């Protein structure tokens, strides 16, 4: 299973978490290992599950996605963070400054878009054999 | 809550004005005496004592008139100060109320944006993604794809219902289409307590007036359902018979309100502000016997349309 990208999906909206489940179930090479409804929950689960990829909603009440991304980067869990947002996307500079590898508009999410985002974020080619990182214990 | 119009009390300057008018009257009398004495002198020829008396009378008259003048001046100045202070207070209260209205409109817009973002918008985006997934599924597993599509249809219905409810909260379509009575009747039907609605002589008014009265009555109804201890029912009465003022009352039969004023929260403050914006007033107090009565009055221009079946 070393080729599979493990994913943690984070969104405060139940509707969207369900969609993420279906999307990830339909995406070859990706496997959802957990979901979180808030920033703090995401931090906890990321430390516990060590996912390769965190799909992180930007707009959440309390700790928002930007802040969560910053803390994820600082916590050293080593996950690749891709921000997703319904509205405008954060600009690349602030993306990098919080340690996020990329961003996607929610309405553009699809199996292919996920593939491309992963490839771009990890500097690899778009792939149906995504290069997963072996999660440290 | 303090009413926003300064109270008309007995003028504090009244006493001084009265003194001024006495002095003026006395001065006029003295002057008349002096004129009479002078006239008498003119007929009788010059004699010393009456001339002195006339001169004294003129002097007294002049003095009294001068005093009257000063007293009246002081009275006016103090009256001016009082009015200026009252106007400043009224202006300050008006400004504060206007700022609260603006802030609450702003809050309302933010709430609507959030509701749209968290509700319909999320659903539609989710639908967009899932439709694409279903599309791919059709080739692989047509029956599962069909089931998915049916699910997505329900999702569309939910999104529609959410949008409808949101639009309703922004401006109830019934209020625009059918007016206050019908809109309140419809809302009352969903209230947690049974509501008896009684309306006489209520026509159509400007949207500002109708929505102010509607939202205030609704807030009062919600308060009755939420706060009135042991209430069994609520009575809403609308009365537009006077033609120049619309009155509304919302009365519950809950426990008697404790003496003293209610501590107004956001709901009651909002009611005050919305009504103030259309020149209306709000009174909240114990209802006769038991419970709480909310009384609303709004001045209205002549009704646009009279309710059918009512003479003149
Ligand atoms: N019908 C009522 N019966 C008893 N108490 C009431 C009634 N309406 C309002 N109150 C009191 O007035 C308070 C302020 O009401 P409001 O400004 O609408 O704020 P809220 O409803 O959010 O508490 C309420 O908390 C309640 O204690
Ligand atoms: Mg209330």
């Amino acid at each position: 299973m070393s080729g599979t990208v493990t994913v943690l999906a984070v969104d405060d909206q139940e509707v969207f978490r369900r969609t993420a489940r279906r999307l990830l179930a339909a995406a070859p090479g990706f496997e959802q290992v957990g979901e979180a409804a808030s920033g703090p929950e995401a931090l906890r689960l990321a430390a516990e599950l060590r996912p390769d990829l965190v799909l992180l909603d930007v707009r959440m009440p309390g700790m928002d996605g930007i802040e969560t991304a910053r803390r994820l980067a600082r916590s050293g869990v080593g996950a690749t963070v891709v921000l997703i947002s319904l509205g405008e996307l954060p600009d690349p500079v602030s993306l990098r400054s919080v340690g996020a590898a990329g961003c996607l508009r929610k309405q553009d999410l699809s199996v292919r878009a996920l593939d491309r985002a992963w490839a771009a974020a990890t500097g690899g080619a778009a792939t149906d054999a995504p290069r997963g990182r072996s999660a440290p214990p | 809550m303090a009413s926003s119009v300064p109270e008309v009390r007995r003028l504090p300057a009244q006493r001084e004005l009265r003194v001024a008018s006495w002095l003026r009257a006395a001065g006029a009398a003295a002057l008349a005496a002096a004129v009479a004495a002078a006239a008498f002198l003119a007929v009788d020829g010059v004699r010393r004592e009456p001339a002195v008396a006339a001169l004294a009378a003129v002097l007294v008259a002049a003095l009294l008139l001068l005093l009257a003048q000063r007293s009246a001046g002081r009275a006016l100045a103090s009256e001016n100060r009082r009015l200026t202070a009252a106007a400043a207070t009224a202006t300050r209260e008006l400004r504060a109320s206007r700022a609260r209205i603006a802030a609450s409109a702003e809050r309302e817009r933010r709430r609507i944006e959030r509701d749209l973002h968290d509700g319909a918008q999320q659903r539609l985006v989710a639908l967009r993604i899932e439709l694409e997934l279903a599309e791919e599924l059709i080739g692989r597993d047509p029956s599962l794809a069909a089931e998915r599509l049916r699910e997505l249809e329900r999702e569309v219905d939910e999104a529609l219902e959410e949008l409808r409810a949101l639009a309703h909260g922004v401006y109830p379509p019934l209020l625009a289409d059918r007016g206050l009575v019908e809109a309140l009747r419809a809302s009352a039907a969903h209230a947690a307590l049974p509501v008896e609605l009684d309306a006489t002589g209520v026509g159509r008014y400007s949207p500002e007036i109708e929505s102010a009265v509607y939202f205030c009555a609704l807030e009062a109804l919600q308060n009755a359902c939420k706060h009135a201890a042991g209430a069994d029912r609520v009575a809403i009465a609308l009365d537009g018979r006077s033609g120049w003022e619309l009155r509304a009352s919302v009365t519950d039969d809950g426990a008697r309100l404790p003496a003293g004023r209610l501590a107004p929260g956001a709901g009651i403050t909002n009611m005050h502000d919305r009504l103030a914006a259309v020149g209306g007033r709000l009174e909240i107090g114990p209802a006769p016997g038991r419970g709480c009565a909310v009384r609303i009055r709004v001045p209205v221009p002549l009704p646009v349309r009279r309710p059918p079946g009512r003479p003149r």
Side-chain angles (χ1 to χ4, degrees):
Chain A
M1 289 301 277
S2 67
T4 305
V5 181
T6 54
V7 185
L8 171 66
V10 187
D11 199 307
D12 59 310
Q13 294 296 312
E14 156 60 23
V15 178
F16 200 80
R17 288 198 304 275
R18 202 196 54 201
T19 299
R21 276 200 296 277
R22 290 195 176 153
L23 176 71
L24 289 164
F30 291 87
E31 187 201 346
Q32 181 166 16
V33 290
E35 65 179 42
S38 71
E41 196 185 355
L43 293 176
R44 202 163 41 73
L45 284 180
E48 188 185 316
L49 304 169
R50 301 275 165 166
D52 301 316
L53 173 65
V54 179
L55 282 180
L56 184 56
D57 183 29
V58 169
R59 187 170 160 177
M60 292 187 291
M63 191 192 297
D64 67 6
I66 306 287
E67 181 56 27
T68 308
R70 189 179 290 130
R71 294 194 191 198
L72 273 173
R74 246 191 259 140
S75 73
V77 291
T80 298
V81 173
V82 170
L83 286 163
I84 49 174
S85 167
L86 233 184
E88 281 115 74
L89 292 172
D91 64 288
V93 177
S94 57
L95 267 182
R96 233 166 293 130
S97 78
V98 298
C103 59
L104 267 176
R105 298 196 316 160
K106 276 188 182 175
Q107 51 269 51
D108 296 336
L109 263 181
S110 65
V111 173
R112 210 167 322 127
L114 192 63
D115 243 8
R116 267 202 303 268
W118 172 252
T122 54
T127 176
D128 23 27
R131 303 171 308 158
R133 302 176 182 181
S134 49
Chain B
M1 273 222 112
S3 115
S4 53
V5 182
E7 233 178 288
V8 181
R9 272 185 253 98
R10 234 188 76 143
L11 302 181
Q14 252 175 13
R15 203 170 47 88
E16 285 186 53
L17 281 173
R18 210 158 42 232
V19 170
S21 67
W22 283 340
L23 289 173
R24 216 177 279 138
L31 196 60
V35 169
F40 182 72
L41 284 182
V43 176
D44 242 24
V46 182
R47 291 224 308 272
R48 248 162 102 103
E49 297 82 22
V52 171
L55 193 63
V58 169
L59 283 176
V60 167
L63 191 68
L64 288 174
L65 287 173
L66 197 72
L67 285 175
Q69 184 70 20
R70 288 191 43 191
S71 179
R74 266 202 305 276
L76 278 178
S78 113
E79 184 57 10
N80 255 339
R81 275 194 301 279
R82 193 190 68 82
L83 284 176
T84 309
T89 307
T91 310
R92 221 173 17 248
E93 281 175 12
L94 200 64
R95 267 204 209 112
S97 152
R98 213 187 285 145
R100 281 198 304 269
I101 292 172
S104 99
E106 195 54 41
R107 257 200 315 280
E108 194 58 10
R109 273 199 292 276
R110 277 206 294 274
R111 183 188 65 78
I112 292 166
E113 193 275 338
R114 207 170 39 241
D115 283 358
L116 277 172
H117 177 274
D118 291 351
Q121 235 180 326
Q122 295 281 349
R123 281 191 196 285
L124 288 175
V125 166
L127 271 168
R128 168 78 186 69
I129 298 168
E130 297 205 22
L131 276 172
E132 202 174 317
L133 293 176
E135 189 185 326
E136 279 162 26
L137 204 56
I138 287 175
R140 275 188 287 131
D141 189 344
S143 76
L144 183 59
E147 189 186 308
R148 241 341 129 65
L149 285 175
R150 274 193 298 280
E151 228 172 89
L152 296 182
E153 279 160 23
R154 280 197 296 280
E155 280 284 308
V156 173
D157 289 342
E158 270 168 53
L160 284 174
E161 171 53 26
E162 218 157 52
L163 279 175
R164 192 206 57 77
L166 188 63
H168 187 277
V170 174
Y171 203 96
L174 255 187
L175 185 58
D177 296 346
R178 310 282 304 279
L180 262 172
V181 181
E182 290 311 308
L184 278 175
R185 203 187 296 289
S187 303
H190 300 122
L193 288 173
V195 177
E196 193 177 293
L197 193 141
D198 178 48
T200 36
V202 179
R204 295 301 308 263
Y205 310 95
S206 70
E208 300 81 57
I209 290 177
E210 288 190 335
S211 72
V213 174
Y214 173 81
F215 283 106
C216 288
L218 210 59
E219 172 67 34
L221 175 58
Q222 275 159 8
N223 276 351
C225 296
K226 201 158 57 159
H227 303 300
D232 293 321
R233 55 198 315 104
V234 180
I236 299 181
L238 294 164
D239 183 352
R241 280 173 300 178
S242 78
W244 54 273
E245 178 180 76
L246 177 62
R247 295 175 178 216
S249 67
V250 179
T251 313
D252 63 63
D253 61 352
R256 197 172 168 70
L257 279 192
R261 280 185 181 143
L262 288 179
I268 290 175
T269 304
N270 226 337
M271 287 163 88
H272 274 285
D273 291 343
R274 287 203 78 144
L275 286 171
V278 291
R281 322 174 39 108
L282 176 71
E283 274 170 44
I284 302 179
R290 51 180 301 154
C292 170
V294 174
R295 295 186 191 85
I296 296 163
R297 293 162 162 224
V298 179
V300 292
L302 289 179
V304 178
R305 206 189 309 141
R306 288 233 152 227
R310 202 153 267 286
R312 294 195 313 118

